[in-house]
Amino acid sequence: MIYPSELARLQSLPEDQSVLMAVVHVNPASQDNHGDALTTRVKSALNDLGVPPTLGQRLLDDVARAREARGKSAVYVLGEGIDERFDVQLDLPERFHFGRPLPALVQAVTEAYPPVGVLAVDRDWARMFILKQGELTELRREQNTELQDVDRDDLTASTTAVPGAQGAARAQDGSGFSAQGTGPRSDSGVELFRRHLDALQQRFYNETAQELARLMKDHDLNHLILVGPVARLAEFRAEIPDTASFEVVGETNVEVGTGSAPEQMLLGRLIPLLEEFAQTEQVRLMEQLQEQGVMEMERVLEMVQQGRVYLLVIPEDGSQVNLFRSHNREVPYFTARKDAQESPLDGSPMERVTLEEMLPQLQALYGLEVRRVYGEHAEKLVREYGGLAGLTRY
């Protein structure tokens, strides 16, 4: 997993330092990685980029070890004084870069899927997780011990026989029903027992919902997936208030009890739900842009520099979008106009860079949140929305 502190450190690499950055799909389950296929593929990509042999060999030497590690993809940052590999539990598209540091390349990996909360709950257990970068981390585990402490006999001790009820014992002389009767017992004790269990269960769900709200807030999570038996999830959802700060985006179950379900089993059910949710979020975002957003590269860049845009939406990783920025970092200026030779602010020369290279500077200057769209949504952003889009503060 790539942590924020590690990403911040990579963002501080000097621009004049040449580094090799790569996202390599090393999942041993993939047929594309059997035998020498992985090494051959990586070597070909390095040759195409013109990576110096000694630097490229550092990557090749580690790729085989990465395939035996726990990640499905390996993210590399290699250069003078830096030798990093991050194992990520996601099947990511491969990418190779050599030249100036591209912190946005690593950042894109951390944002491939949005982090979500996961609650596995039934009558006996409540387990809270966070699912981030394909890894499931358990935050809290709580057992409903009150149900185990209930003494059924104590709660049903008031049950009495019902004289004359069908099935009651006959008097010994055969003349009729016994005065005491030994027939079916009154269900008053059984009902008491059930009501007591329901009250305990209600309290457990209520306390779990309160703790869930706290954990979701503490970890800045806006979306939740529920795991457990259908009936139990329906009961628990009734405890989530309509005003909750998070949204339930999926439900599933596992073949074993939630208290003993291994994390790998949970992941097998959660990843497809996460992928489906990510697609839904992209559809929502594109619809919001259509209704409320600003579009076209030059217009969006102008509004970014006016501080009016808070959310910038880009196609894929931004590596295919070429823009221009002023060489003088002290007086920044950005444009999409190809005829811009110098900055209108101070006359400094303009340089042609990719949007991916510019992102860290734009984010630092204007406090932008960046969202990436993929596949058909990225194509639509380029074809119909002019390549860039944004949502405005006002």
Side-chain angles (χ1 to χ4, degrees):
M1 181 180 291
I2 304 171
Y3 294 96
S5 59
E6 295 165 336
L7 181 59
R9 179 166 50 84
L10 296 177
Q11 289 174 331
S12 65
L13 291 174
E15 284 193 5
D16 58 355
Q17 178 180 357
S18 292
V19 296
L20 170 60
M21 305 180 73
V23 180
V24 186
H25 185 235
V26 295
N27 191 343
S30 172
Q31 291 186 348
D32 293 337
N33 292 330
H34 291 176
D36 296 329
L38 174 60
T39 303
T40 301
R41 188 174 72 247
V42 172
K43 185 180 294 186
S44 175
L46 297 179
N47 288 337
D48 291 343
L49 283 176
V51 177
T54 53
L55 184 58
Q57 194 61 46
R58 287 167 60 185
L59 176 59
L60 288 169
D61 289 343
D62 192 77
V63 160
R65 290 192 291 270
R67 183 168 51 183
E68 303 303 322
R70 57 188 299 268
K72 295 180 179 179
S73 299
V75 181
Y76 288 93
V77 183
L78 305 175
E80 184 178 352
I82 185 168
D83 192 342
E84 298 284 357
R85 186 190 84 204
F86 306 99
D87 297 320
V88 180
Q89 293 293 336
L90 295 170
D91 291 304
L92 300 170
E94 283 193 334
R95 175 82 192 281
F96 297 87
H97 165 79
F98 176 65
R100 290 190 294 193
L102 276 181
L105 185 151
V106 181
Q107 185 176 1
V109 171
T110 68
E111 298 171 356
Y113 292 102
V116 299
V118 178
L119 179 69
V121 64
D122 57 18
R123 292 181 67 91
D124 301 306
W125 287 94
R127 301 169 64 193
M128 179 68 188
F129 303 84
I130 181 172
L131 177 57
K132 189 174 184 180
Q133 296 179 38
E135 293 192 26
L136 196 61
T137 304
E138 189 164 4
L139 303 176
R140 185 180 177 88
R141 175 192 290 251
E142 194 71 30
Q143 185 175 15
N144 191 1
T145 55
E146 289 186 313
L147 287 184
Q148 298 179 339
D149 297 336
V150 175
D151 191 325
R152 181 186 177 97
D153 290 337
D154 286 347
L155 285 171
T156 57
S158 62
T159 303
T160 58
V162 182
Q166 183 179 1
R170 296 271 178 176
Q172 290 186 1
D173 60 4
S175 60
F177 289 104
S178 165
Q180 294 296 322
T182 56
R185 297 163 67 86
S186 164
D187 64 357
S188 61
V190 175
E191 287 300 318
L192 176 63
F193 178 69
R194 289 175 179 170
R195 286 198 300 271
H196 185 66
L197 288 185
D198 289 344
L200 293 178
Q201 190 65 52
Q202 187 80 10
R203 182 162 65 187
F204 179 66
Y205 285 154
N206 183 266
E207 292 173 351
T208 298
Q210 293 180 27
E211 184 62 21
L212 170 67
R214 184 187 68 80
L215 288 171
M216 294 289 285
K217 181 179 180 180
D218 290 349
H219 292 272
D220 197 24
L221 299 172
N222 299 317
H223 304 98
L224 176 72
I225 296 176
L226 293 173
V227 179
V230 174
R232 303 303 171 222
L233 296 188
E235 293 170 355
F236 178 77
R237 287 195 68 158
E239 298 300 318
I240 300 178
D242 294 336
T243 56
S245 60
F246 55 87
E247 175 187 5
V248 178
V249 298
E251 294 184 8
T252 188
N253 195 9
V254 288
E255 291 78 7
V256 299
T258 56
S260 57
E263 292 184 7
Q264 197 60 37
M265 177 184 290
L266 292 173
L267 275 173
R269 295 298 184 91
L270 294 172
I271 294 299
L273 288 177
L274 187 59
E275 293 172 345
E276 181 180 346
F277 167 61
Q279 281 296 319
T280 300
E281 283 291 276
Q282 294 211 9
V283 171
R284 287 181 183 176
L285 178 59
M286 296 299 287
E287 291 174 349
Q288 188 178 9
L289 290 174
Q290 181 69 45
E291 296 174 1
Q292 307 169 14
V294 293
M295 305 171 192
E296 301 294 343
M297 287 191 190
E298 190 63 22
R299 182 184 179 206
V300 171
L301 286 175
E302 288 177 359
M303 296 184 72
V304 164
Q305 293 171 91
Q306 294 167 1
R308 297 173 59 187
V309 172
Y310 75 89
L311 177 67
L312 182 67
V313 183
I314 71 173
E316 305 283 353
D317 52 25
S319 62
Q320 303 303 313
V321 178
N322 292 303
L323 300 171
F324 298 85
R325 69 179 175 187
S326 57
H327 187 72
N328 184 1
R329 298 291 190 270
E330 299 300 320
V331 187
Y333 176 72
F334 307 92
T335 183
R337 293 189 294 107
K338 297 180 180 180
D339 60 347
Q341 299 296 316
E342 59 183 34
S343 168
L345 301 180
D346 66 346
S348 63
M350 303 294 291
E351 59 177 341
R352 184 172 183 264
V353 294
T354 66
L355 174 60
E356 186 177 35
E357 292 178 84
M358 279 173 46
L359 277 179
Q361 189 180 4
L362 289 174
Q363 289 179 281
L365 287 171
Y366 306 109
L368 291 175
E369 178 186 348
V370 175
R371 293 279 297 277
R372 297 165 174 82
V373 291
Y374 300 91
E376 62 180 303
H377 304 299
E379 293 174 4
K380 184 175 182 178
L381 182 63
V382 173
R383 185 178 62 253
E384 299 181 22
Y385 294 5
L388 287 180
L391 295 175
T392 60
R393 293 185 172 95
Y394 56 90

